[in-house]
Amino acid sequence: MSLPGLAEPTDKLKQLARGARDTLPMLLGAAPFGMIFGTLVSASAMLPWHGQLMSGAVYAGSSQFIAVGLVASHTGMLVIWLTTFIVNLRHMLYAATLLPHVAHLSTRWRCLLGFLLTDETFAVVAGHHQQNLSATERRYAHWYFLGSGLAMYFNWQCWTLVGLLFGTWFPQLQNMGLDYAMVATFIAIIVPQLRRMPQLAAALAAAACAYLLQGLPYKLGLLAAVVVGVVVGMASSWRSALGKESQ
């Protein structure tokens, strides 16, 4: 039996730890990705602390890779901002999906969870809410979200630092094929989400666009695929919502 006054902190810590534990498989997939990012920074004109600062303050894996490449090619800051903004547009869909579960939280909580929201954390938290949760689990679901987000955040910082340190000794580390782990992680994230038409439509549209436009320079085909996927996904969600209202 729990002592009065201790049950609530214990429940919060349980959900925090559970969120971190459920994110463990994602941590393994992101580890090589973070290490490669650190290696790329150490091989670029950027200083090591620039890379660690970017991981700590920006915390957006794919956008960080793109930003490092654009900085190396002396691209203007406005183009870098716009490019990374477009790449991160998918987070609008993530936020829209999770909004019903965090809308009751304070602004401080929502800002913190929004900053910690990544592809991996979204997959874990969205899967958590699809389960039959008890009243206590639903009440402290934001602590589960926080545990997952913090686990991914510190994992990313750790492996960025490892990449920065080992990049000097192994400058060709990024060419050893370690990035396959991130591809496998993304496949594991995306496939379980394709049970509904908006997600499936967005994935098919983005994949088709990326394939057809792969010859465009500066990876513009990939950027176009992101935009098309977001637009198709949002349009499909809107259409599904209208269909439910008309019934």
Side-chain angles (χ1 to χ4, degrees):
M1 185 178 72
S2 300
L3 294 174
L6 291 180
E8 185 170 306
T10 301
D11 289 335
K12 292 177 180 176
L13 290 176
K14 282 183 178 178
Q15 293 305 309
L16 185 77
R18 184 181 174 188
R21 183 198 63 195
D22 291 351
T23 311
L24 282 177
M26 300 296 182
L27 303 185
L28 297 176
F33 204 48
M35 189 164 57
I36 292 171
F37 170 73
T39 304
L40 286 175
V41 171
S42 65
S44 72
M46 297 173 65
L47 296 175
W49 70 269
H50 291 163
Q52 195 67 59
L53 179 63
M54 185 184 290
S55 283
V58 178
Y59 185 45
S62 54
S63 295
Q64 290 179 224
F65 275 85
I66 293 172
V68 169
L70 293 176
V71 169
S73 60
H74 305 289
T75 304
M77 188 59 70
L78 180 60
V79 175
I80 295 176
W81 284 347
L82 289 175
T83 303
T84 53
F85 172 76
I86 292 172
V87 170
N88 283 325
L89 277 178
R90 68 189 187 282
H91 285 230
M92 292 178 63
L93 292 177
Y94 297 164
T97 302
L98 297 178
L99 181 60
H101 307 295
V102 300
H104 64 287
L105 299 176
S106 65
T107 302
R108 184 173 56 181
W109 260 104
R110 281 181 287 167
C111 288
L112 174 60
L113 297 180
F115 175 73
L116 294 174
L117 182 60
T118 62
D119 303 287
E120 295 85 354
T121 297
F122 167 75
V124 172
V125 175
H128 179 66
H129 283 290
Q130 290 173 1
Q131 301 175 17
N132 293 322
L133 302 179
S134 66
T136 301
E137 290 172 333
R138 284 196 299 272
R139 182 180 181 185
Y140 299 118
H142 53 298
W143 285 90
Y144 179 94
F145 193 155
L146 181 63
S148 175
L150 288 177
M152 281 301 303
Y153 181 80
F154 288 112
N155 182 66
W156 184 250
Q157 308 310 315
C158 175
W159 288 107
T160 295
L161 180 60
V162 171
L164 290 170
L165 295 175
F166 280 82
T168 305
W169 302 336
F170 305 100
Q172 299 303 317
L173 192 64
Q174 67 272 25
N175 298 325
M176 295 177 64
L178 296 176
D179 49 340
Y180 79 94
M182 202 62 197
V183 176
T185 300
F186 269 100
I187 291 174
I189 291 173
I190 292 174
V191 171
Q193 308 296 325
L194 303 183
R195 291 175 294 182
R196 295 179 58 212
M197 183 52 69
Q199 287 86 344
L200 180 61
L204 291 176
C209 186
Y211 177 77
L212 294 174
L213 302 179
Q214 59 182 308
L216 293 181
Y218 306 113
K219 298 188 181 299
L220 291 175
L222 183 61
L223 297 180
V226 172
V227 175
V228 169
V230 170
V231 171
V232 170
M234 295 184 71
S236 181
S237 297
W238 178 67
R239 184 176 179 181
S240 298
L242 284 180
K244 291 180 180 178
E245 291 178 358
S246 62
Q247 290 178 356

